[in-house]
Amino acid sequence: MTTTGAKPVGADDETSAANAVRQMFNSIAPRYDLLNHVLSANVDRLWWRRTARRFRPILANPDAAVLDICCGTGDMTMALLKHRPQNARPVLAADFARAMLRRGARKFQGRGAVALEADALHLPLRPASQDLIVSAFGFRNLANYEAGLREFHRVLKPGGQLGILDFSEPGGLIGKAYAIYFRRVLPAIGRMICGPVSGDKPGPYHYLPASVGNFPSPPAMLEMMQSAGYVDCAWQPYTFGIAGLYTAARPR
Ligand SMILES: C[S@@+](CC[C@H](N)C(=O)[O-])C[C@H]1O[C@@H](n2cnc3c(N)ncnc32)[C@H](O)[C@@H]1O
């Protein structure tokens, strides 16, 4: 596995990869929620809820410092907020694409979360300050996965927990059917919702399957998490392994 991070077409280093990802999400922000729900037939809602439930014990602690990184338009944040008690410390919801974050803030601002424009690889947070970091469908887009894991490790408290929800590529017959959907049907629907792309850029609906294909398999990802210093690393497949939740903790 030689993958170090997301590789949008035309990006040949980490800075240009991050810029391309930010630009792409800023450009699809107005259609992002619709695109998401149509392409996943609303199953994404179940995945966010299931992820939030997994961290209920931490979320129930009103003093817990919780970061939703790569929060985008805020649906993961909203699922986390369902488990926060009244008057709990606000959840930090961070993203580096302003147009995505602005839409998220409209949903969660005043409901227990605050928006933070920040890069996941350079978080403006103190070391050992967070009890929980969650990222839904964002980690796969980082320009350097190892650097992302190291940065999360830096800001997690000893004993703090990490949850990374992202797509994966299932095997067997389900995998074959899914590959057809993902590589053929999904780009066609994406094009209908987002419209044609100008210039020679392949567009967000091509980036998504390519980014999932480029993402480490669960065993490789777990190995990377262990190498970055995490313990209790595990992967829980969701919906036949189309998506799944990685969990890990910073050692005490
Ligand atoms: C597919 S969206 C997921 C949004 C949301 N978490 C959800 O589940 O719908 C990925 C998000 O990750 C953000 N992102 C990608 N790389 C990032 C980085 N280095 N720092 C902060 N945000 C990043 C993008 O701007 C985008 O909003």
Side-chain angles (χ1 to χ4, degrees):
M1 166 63 54
T2 52
T3 309
T4 54
K7 298 231 177 337
V9 172
D12 41 23
D13 59 29
E14 287 180 16
T15 306
S16 56
N19 286 340
V21 165
R22 188 193 291 113
Q23 210 176 11
M24 184 190 73
F25 280 107
N26 273 329
S27 74
I28 62 169
R31 310 260 164 114
Y32 177 82
D33 284 351
L34 175 64
L35 193 63
N36 233 4
H37 301 323
V38 170
L39 294 179
S40 77
N42 261 340
V43 181
D44 48 2
R45 291 185 198 284
L46 304 179
W47 295 335
W48 290 315
R49 278 189 214 147
R50 200 169 161 188
T51 298
R53 274 203 306 274
R54 167 67 178 70
F55 296 108
R56 221 167 6 193
I58 302 180
L59 295 167
N61 172 3
D63 299 323
V66 179
L67 169 67
D68 177 13
I69 181 65
C70 304
C71 69
T73 57
D75 286 319
M76 182 72 244
T77 314
M78 294 303 286
L80 295 171
L81 289 177
K82 292 222 163 75
H83 299 279
R84 294 297 276 160
Q86 271 203 333
N87 300 321
R89 181 175 176 160
V91 168
L92 267 183
D95 201 285
F96 74 171
R98 192 172 293 174
M100 294 287 281
L101 189 60
R102 215 179 272 149
R103 282 184 158 71
R106 271 187 224 142
K107 290 182 199 163
F108 56 67
Q109 207 102 293
R111 291 171 176 237
V114 289
L116 173 70
E117 190 173 329
D119 185 340
L121 301 185
H122 307 281
L123 291 168
L125 298 173
R126 279 181 291 113
S129 58
Q130 304 298 305
D131 294 283
L132 171 65
I133 299 179
V134 172
S135 186
F137 306 106
F139 187 83
R140 179 176 30 89
N141 301 291
L142 300 187
N144 187 323
Y145 303 138
E146 279 151 358
L149 289 174
R150 282 197 303 273
E151 183 63 349
F152 300 163
H153 192 279
R154 180 186 73 79
V155 301
L156 275 176
K157 292 179 185 172
Q161 304 224 3
L162 173 64
I164 295 175
L165 170 64
D166 223 311
F167 288 113
S168 74
E169 291 191 307
L173 266 184
I174 299 266
K176 288 204 173 99
Y178 177 66
I180 293 172
Y181 172 73
F182 222 53
R183 292 179 196 283
R184 297 191 188 278
V185 181
L186 182 149
I189 299 174
R191 207 173 300 119
M192 264 163 28
I193 295 177
C194 288
V197 175
S198 57
D200 55 0
K201 291 212 171 137
Y205 28 83
H206 282 280
Y207 168 75
L208 175 60
S211 70
V212 175
N214 190 40
F215 194 54
S217 64
M221 180 70 182
L222 291 172
E223 206 182 305
M224 209 189 285
M225 293 169 97
Q226 276 155 3
S227 304
Y230 292 91
V231 292
D232 303 331
C233 304
W235 181 66
Q236 171 72 57
Y238 289 178
T239 319
F240 310 112
I242 289 171
L245 178 66
Y246 294 93
T247 49
R250 180 174 168 174
R252 287 182 188 279

